[in-house]
Structures are given as structure tokens and as C-alpha cells.
């Protein structure tokens, strides 16, 4: 159906399937298909109309300000926080900035070793404390050290957690509070795995109830998943996607581009 | 809830006796939407809905006092049967030495599942398990498995090399020399579209000749579950599925998709980060959860 200006009922069904496959969810898809089925007097190919209307819908809502000095990475287990922390550190270092990584995951097996390995590869300072199981204490030490040393960027990694665990969400709330006592230049980024289905909205929504989420890093976009779940997240929570993860190496972080993302949704 | 939607639909249908395609289409649209919301792949959802429409047509279910509930029972039963009637555990080797390979996408829970499964088989099946740390790619992956191995008192083989096949080969010899009767091989997370790494997985499988190849899938996976699971099961002979992070509130519809495209049994689910967060799969529980 590529390039078609008028979409038949069959075409609309094909389009609906493609959009569902992208994890946009049936409600968003219904709205899109509904608006595209209405005749259009601009005589444009449906792709153009899709991009235009999505652009208006999304760009109108999202303000992407530059990232603040201290970044807190949060999200569900295994979504790519630690790797993204390393990628961000690499990005900032390349720009000539001094970066401090903080090993805020005091829980998971070998979590500190993992981020330590990254800090060594990147030649970036790391604050860690393997003697404590209190992540707020490490976050405090890390941010404190970073502020007093006047580093340009402080990146705090946290343990993976499910939004359904009250204790872990309270713990995250405390980490955020402790960090904000020291500085209000903080951005909280949630990592969302591009493979995630409709639960992704619930994740962002729930995390946002415990601490203000400032943006999204959409990871694992180098797979076949299209990451459509970011659309309802952007719409409902007014959250910008700052970066896209496209691999496991430190350079595999790309600034989010709305146009190429939208084009990717319709494959 | 599906239940409430159904009761209002069925209020209008009641008294018509037989179920026909038209009076069922509203109910089926709601089932399809519930399945989509639960992350069942849209093609799989459509096939499932077609199947139950066929089963329901001509049925006398609507003579029930609560047809909505009755209908849900039919759907639940159908979904449960589809998810795999009997809870099938690990198929042990008749030779007395069982090999299991853990595979899947990045971050799905393989390393954690290796340790959980070892602990489960040690405590519940009286096995003497041995873990092999064949992920040489992710920073500190070997450390992670070693730490978990210590927690559950199961030996872990690792080696300072860049070649996972060496680790597997030497790990197997070490396991046998220590009288282990079961080995679980942890592998690096990989994309099904990464030809090099999929070849590596094939090589690990050829070398270790496993009795079970478990595809570990994140319980919150969306529509793409069909693609990754299909590719993995076409590249190597996947024998079972593990669904992780089911302690979250994801509906878990990916399980239906994965089961449909691979035809393989879901064997276990992960229910917490801890080593005891691991249970044999119960299809009836998951079908209730999927239908919400
Ligand atoms: N292909 C691909 N893999 C990624 C990407 N980002 C992270 N990964 C991989 O995903 C896996 C999990 O990444 P982590 O950084 O450990 O995730 P995490 O959120 O810190 O995990 P926990 O701390 O255990 O909750 C690793 O194997 C990473 O290499 C990405 O953009 N693409
Ligand atoms: N809540 C919960 N967390 C889980 C479960 N299974 C694994 N995890 C967590 O998910 C994250 C990823 O688990 P890993 O075992 O490192 O995943 P992996 O597949 O080995 O990751 P890679 O080797 O990078 O591909 C960790 O934080 C685990 O603790 C589960 O069933 N429930
Ligand atoms: Mg981490
Ligand atoms: Mg692993």
C-alpha cells in the first residue's frame, strides 16, 4: 500500500495490522486508522498524512530541553539501565565533559562489577560502595562527590525493579529525595525496552507516581521490535524520548529523531 | 473487565437460543481487544478468536442464566488448553547426564533463570547440577553467575578465554569429573537477527548436544514475541519456554504468541528476582491473567 493516496478497506486493514505489530495498542491504532480513512483533500500519500498527523500530535506535546547535570537512570529489570549509563558517560566524555558514574545498584549479583568494568573501559570515575546495601547512601556519596569535584555530569545507575513492588518503589522515591536534597539539577530517565508490550505504559505511569520522570531512553531498537509503546507513553505522560539504544556497545546510543522513529513504525 | 463487557453484550443476546456469527461478533471483538491489550500477537489473537467463534457457533451456552460468565469459561478453557495442558518439566536424559542450554534476547532473565533452575532441580528433583558460564560478552556476566552459584551452593565453571565453545567443552569435562548429573549452560543475550551470534548459539548446541534448549522470554514482551521466538526455534531445536518477570502486572499474552509460533511447551515462570522465585508453569492461571 506504499505511496497510495486513498486507502481501501483492505488497505486500512493491512495498515491496522502493521501498526498493531508495532505495539501502538489497539486504541491508538483505531484512532490513526480512523483519521486516515477519512478522505483527505491534500492529495498526499497516506504515509505523508500519517507522519504529519503523528508529528503534530507528538511534537506539539513534547518539550525536549537539554539534559541536566545529574541523571538518574530507573526502570524495569533488564531494560538496559547500566548499559545506557555507560553509553551516556561515553557520549558526554566524547563531548569533552568530565563524568562521574555512580553504582547505585547495591542489590543485584555483580551489578557493581558490571558498571565498574564499564567505567574502566571508558576511563571514567566511579563511585561505588560494596559494603552497603543502601542505594540512597551510595547515591548520596556519589552526587556529593560529583558536586564537590565539580564534574560536568553525574550519572546514577539504580537497580532494576518492578513498579508492582511497593518497597522497591519507595526505595527509589528515597534515592530521588536524597539526590534532590543536594541539587535540583536532576533529570530522571526511565529505560523502556523496545520489545515491551502494553505493560510499558503501566511502567512509565507507575514510576512517574513515585518520582517525576523527565524522559525515556528507548532501548534495544536494533532488534525487530519497533518500539511503538513509546507513542502512548509520550502521549499520556508528555514524556520526551531522549535517546534510542541500538546495540550493546558504548557508541550504540542515538539521539531520538521523531521522523525516523515514526517512519520505523510503519516499517 | 472482560466479564462486565460480556454480561452487557449477552443481556441483549439472551433468549435467542443459538449462537450465530453476528450476535457473537461484538463479544468476539471484545475478546480480541482483551487479547491485544494482553500483548497477544494480533495474528494469533485473530486465529484464536476464529477458533472459539467456530466452537461457539450453534452451542447452547446462551441458555445459561449467566451467559457472559459461561462464555468466559469457554474461552478460558480454550486458552488453557491451548497454552499446554500438562505442566511438563525438564526432560532428563536417559543416560543419567542431562544438558540444558539457556538462550534468549538480551536482558530476558537467562542468567538468573540458570541459577533458579539449578536450585529447583537440586531441591525438588534431587539432581546434582553444575553451571557453565558461557557468556563472555556482557561485562561481569561470569561474575554474576558465580555469585548466584555461591548463593545456591552450585559449582560454576568459568575460564579466562574469548571462546565460549572452549568454556562449554571444558565445563562439560569438569562437570563429569565432579559427578554432576546435570549441566546448565548460560549464554549471552543475542538478537535473532544477529547472524554471527545465532551461529555461535548453533555451535554451542552442536558441541554440548543438549537435552533441553530453553528459550527465556520476558513476560512483558509485546507483539515482537512471535518474531524472536520463531527465529530462535528455527535456528536451534528449542524444547521449552521460560517466561520471566511474571511477578509484574504484565498480562503475559506473549506466552500465547510464543506457544502458537513455536509449538513448544512453557515449562517454568519466573516470579521474583530471588532464587526461589521460580515455579512450574500453570496454564490455567496464565489464561485467567491474560483474559484480565
Ligand atoms: N541489543 C541491545 N542490547 C542492549 C541494549 N541496551 C542494553 N542491552 C543489553 O541488555 C542487557 C541488559 O542490560 P543492562 O544494562 O544490564 O540492563 P539493566 O536495566 O541495568 O538490568 P538490571 O540492572 O538487571 O535491571 C545486556 O545484555 C545489554 O548488553 C540495546 O540498545 N540493544
Ligand atoms: N522481578 C523479576 N526479575 C527478574 C526475574 N528474572 C530475572 N529478573 C531480573 O531481570 C534482570 C535481568 O536478568 P538477567 O538474568 O541478568 O538476564 P539475562 O537474560 O541473563 O541478560 P543478558 O545476559 O544481558 O542477556 C535482573 O535484574 C534479574 O534480577 C523474574 O522472574 N522476576
Ligand atoms: Mg543494571
Ligand atoms: Mg545473562
Amino acid at each position: 500500500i506504499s505511496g497510495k493516496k486513498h486507502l481501501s478497506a483492505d488497505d486500512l486493514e493491512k495498515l491496522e495490522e502493521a501498526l498493531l505489530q508495532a505495539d501502538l495498542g489497539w486504541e491508538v491504532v483505531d484512532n490513526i486508522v480512523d483519521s486516515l480513512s477519512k478522505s483527505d483533500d491534500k492529495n498526499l500519500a497516506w504515509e505523508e498524512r500519517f507522519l504529519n498527523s503523528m508529528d503534530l500530535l507528538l511534537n506539539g506535546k513534547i518539550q525536549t530541553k537539554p539534559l541536566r547535570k545529574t541523571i538518574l537512570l530507573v526502570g524495569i529489570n533488564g531494560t538496559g539501565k547500566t548499559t545506557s549509563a555507560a553509553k551516556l558517560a561515553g557520549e558526554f566524555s566524547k563531548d569533552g565533559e568530565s563524568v562521574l558514574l555512580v553504582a547505585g545498584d547495591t542489590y543485584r549479583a555483580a551489578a557493581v562489577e558490571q558498571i565498574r568494568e564499564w567505567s574502566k573501559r571508558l576511563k571514567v570515575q566511579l563511585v561505588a560502595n560494596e559494603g552497603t546495601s543502601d542505594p540512597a547512601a551510595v547515591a548520596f556519596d556519589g552526587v556529593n562527590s560529583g558536586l564537590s569535584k565539580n564534574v560536568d555530569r553525574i550519572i546514577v545507575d539504580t537497580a532494576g525493579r518492578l513498579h508492582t513492588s511497593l518497597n522497591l518503589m519507595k526505595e527509589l522515591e528515597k534515592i530521588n529525595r536524597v539526590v534532590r536534597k543536594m541539587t535540583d539539577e536532576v533529570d530522571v530517565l526511565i529505560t523502556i525496552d523496545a520489545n515491551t508490550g502494553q505493560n510499558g505504559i503501566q511502567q512509565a505511569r507507575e514510576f512517574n507516581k513515585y518520582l517525576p520522570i523527565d524522559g525515556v531512553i528507548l532501548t534495544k531498537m536494533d532488534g525487530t521490535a519497533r518500539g511503538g509503546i513509546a507513542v502512548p507513553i509520550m502521549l499520556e505522560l508528555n514524556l520526551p524520548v531522549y535517546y534510542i539504544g541500538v546495540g550493546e556497545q558504548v557508541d550504540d546510543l542515538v539521539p531520538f529523531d521523531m521522523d525516523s522513529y515514526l517512519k520505523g513504525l510503519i516499517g | 473487565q472482560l466479564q462486565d463487557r460480556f454480561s452487557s453484550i449477552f443481556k441483549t443476546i439472551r433468549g435467542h437460543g443459538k449462537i450465530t456469527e453476528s450476535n457473537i461478533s461484538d463479544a468476539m471483538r471484545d475478546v480480541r481487544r482483551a487479547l491485544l491489550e494482553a500483548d497477544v500477537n494480533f495474528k494469533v489473537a485473530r486465529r484464536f478468536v476464529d477458533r472459539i467463534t467456530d466452537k461457539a457457533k450453534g452451542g447452547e451456552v446462551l441458555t445459561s442464566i449467566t451467559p457472559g460468565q459461561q462464555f468466559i469459561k469457554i474461552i478460558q478453557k480454550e486458552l488453557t488448553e491451548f497454552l499446554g495442558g500438562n505442566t511438563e518439566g525438564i526432560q532428563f536424559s536417559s543416560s543419567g547426564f542431562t544438558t540444558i542450554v539457556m538462550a534468549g534476547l538480551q536482558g530476558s532473565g537467562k542468567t538468573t533463570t540458570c541459577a533458579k533452575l539449578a536450585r529447583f532441580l537440586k531441591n525438588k528433583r534431587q539432581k546434582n547440577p553444575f553451571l557453565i558460564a558461557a557468556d563472555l560478552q556482557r561485562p561481569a556476566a561470569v561474575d554474576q553467575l558465580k555469585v548466584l552459584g555461591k548463593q545456591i551452593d552450585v559449582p560454576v565453571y568459568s575460564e579466562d578465554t574469548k571462546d565460549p565453545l572452549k568454556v562449554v567443552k571444558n565445563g562439560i569435562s569438569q562437570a563429569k569429573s565432579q559427578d554432576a548429573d546435570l549441566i546448565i549452560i548460560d549464554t549471552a543475550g543475542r538478537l535473532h537477527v544477529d547472524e554471527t551470534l545465532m551461529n555461535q548459539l548453533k555451535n554451542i548446541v552442536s558441541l554440548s548436544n543438549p537435552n533441553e534448549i530453553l528459550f527465556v522470554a520476558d513476560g512483558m514482551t509485546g507483539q515482537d514475541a512471535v518474531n524472536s521466538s520463531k527465529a530462535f526455534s528455527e535456528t536451534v531445536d528449542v524444547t521449552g519456554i521460560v517466561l520471566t518477570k511474571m511477578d509484574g502486572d504484565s498480562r503475559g499474552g506473549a506466552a500465547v504468541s510464543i506457544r502458537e509460533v513455536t509449538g513448544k511447551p512453557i515449562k517454568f515462570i519466573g516470579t521474583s528476582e530471588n532464587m526461589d522465585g521460580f515455579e512450574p508453569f500453570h496454564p490455567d492461571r496464565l489464561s485467567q491473567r491474560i483474559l484480565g
Side-chain angles (χ1 to χ4, degrees), chain A residues 75-85 87 105 108 111 114 118 157-161 191 218-223 244-249 252, chain B residues 106-108 110 135 137-139 144 189-191 273:
Chain A
I76 301 291
N77 307 69
T79 52
K81 296 173 294 299
T82 306
T83 308
S84 300
K87 289 175 181 178
D105 180 353
R108 205 206 68 212
Q114 184 185 5
W118 278 117
D157 185 22
T158 65
R161 68 201 68 224
T191 47
L218 188 58
T219 62
K220 307 180 198 172
M221 283 287 279
D222 45 322
I244 290 206
V246 291
E248 301 190 70
Q249 307 309 326
D252 294 329
Chain B
Q106 290 88 347
S108 62
K110 297 174 294 300
D135 176 358
Q137 190 167 297
R138 166 175 156 153
Q144 186 184 3
R190 68 201 65 223
L191 294 178
E273 273 193 89

Side-chain angles (χ1 to χ4, degrees), chain A residues 17 107 163 195 198-199 224, chain B residues 37 39 46 222 224 249 274:
Chain A
E17 295 183 349
Y107 175 73
H163 51 283
N195 288 292
Q198 298 309 301
N199 195 249
T224 51
Chain B
E37 284 168 6
D39 292 321
R46 186 174 44 218
D224 205 64
D249 56 4
N274 306 324

